[in-house]
Amino acid sequence: MGCRHLYQVEVKHALVRFCFQPANGWRVTVDVDSMERAKGGTHLPDKAERAAGALAGLRELGASLGRHKLFGRVDLVAEHPTRGTRLLEVEADSSRQREQAMYSALGQILLSMKLQSPDVRYGLAVPDSAEWINQLRKIPPTIAQKLSLDLYAVGSDHVQVFEAGTTIPDWSRG
C-alpha cells in the first residue's frame, strides 16, 4: 500500500495501463467528467496539469473517452473477446468524505448491474492508501462474491486486484 495523492482520472489511467491495455486486446471506454478535468469549481493548483497528463496517457494507450454506447456513464468499461467485460466505478481523494464517496460509488455500480453472466464482472477502484483500503474492507467478501464485484487498489505504478470474495488482509500493527 501507499501512493501519492491520486486524482480520479489518474486512477483510471493506471487501471488501463496495468489491467486493461488495448494493446492486449481490451477495448476500453473511459468516462471523464468536467470536474475530473479541473473544469468549473475549485481545484488544487496541480489538478488541471495532472489531469491533462492522465488524459493524454489514456489516449496514447488507445482508450476511448466518453460515455459507452451500451452502458452509458460507467467510469470504465473494458471489453475483451476472451476475458469478458468489466464495468468499474472509480473513486479518488476529493473534497468529499471517503465514506460518502464510497457509498456513492457502490450505488452507481449496483445500478449498473444489469447483466448477470460469467463473462461480466463489476469493479470498484480506489487509491491504494490505508484510508481507502479500510473503506474497501467494509464490503463483506460474501456479498462481493455474489455480486461479482472485484476491488482494485490503485497506485501510480501498480494495481492490486482483490477478486470477488477475497478477504483484504490487514497488515497494520495493533
Side-chain angles (χ1 to χ4, degrees):
M1 270 187 284
C3 67
R4 69 182 177 115
H5 168 84
L6 290 179
Y7 293 113
Q8 193 169 357
V9 69
E10 292 175 310
V11 173
K12 293 174 182 181
H13 177 242
L15 285 163
V16 174
R17 183 174 168 213
F18 297 111
C19 297
F20 306 111
Q21 280 198 20
N24 293 333
W26 291 96
R27 186 174 66 230
V28 182
T29 304
V30 180
D31 187 59
V32 181
D33 67 30
S34 60
M35 290 299 282
E36 292 176 70
R37 297 173 192 261
K39 306 278 188 211
T42 304
H43 303 280
L44 294 174
D46 66 341
K47 184 173 183 178
E49 181 180 340
R50 286 176 50 190
L55 288 166
L58 284 165
R59 288 186 196 98
E60 284 176 28
L61 289 168
S64 298
L65 299 179
R67 73 186 296 141
H68 189 273
K69 65 182 185 265
L70 178 62
F71 300 109
R73 301 214 54 198
V74 174
D75 282 335
L76 190 147
V77 178
E79 301 163 285
H80 193 278
T82 59
R83 298 184 67 198
T85 300
R86 307 291 187 271
L87 290 92
L88 279 74
E89 285 299 324
V90 175
E91 283 300 332
D93 292 314
S94 68
S95 59
R96 271 198 303 192
Q97 292 179 353
R98 281 181 197 89
E99 192 167 71
Q100 292 303 316
M102 184 72 157
Y103 294 156
S104 174
L106 283 168
Q108 290 173 0
I109 200 68
L110 284 172
L111 292 174
S112 72
M113 290 182 170
K114 294 176 175 66
L115 297 175
Q116 298 302 310
S117 161
D119 294 333
V120 177
R121 298 190 67 76
Y122 298 91
L124 179 59
V126 299
D128 185 7
S129 69
E131 297 84 7
W132 278 109
I133 297 298
N134 284 336
Q135 293 299 316
L136 291 180
R137 277 196 194 98
K138 293 178 181 180
I139 302 169
T142 55
I143 298 302
Q145 187 169 26
K146 288 178 184 184
L147 296 174
S148 296
L149 180 66
D150 298 323
L151 306 175
Y152 297 77
V154 180
S156 58
D157 61 355
H158 69 280
V159 175
Q160 184 170 6
V161 182
F162 301 99
E163 291 187 8
T166 302
T167 299
I168 300 172
D170 185 355
W171 294 311
S172 64
R173 295 181 184 200

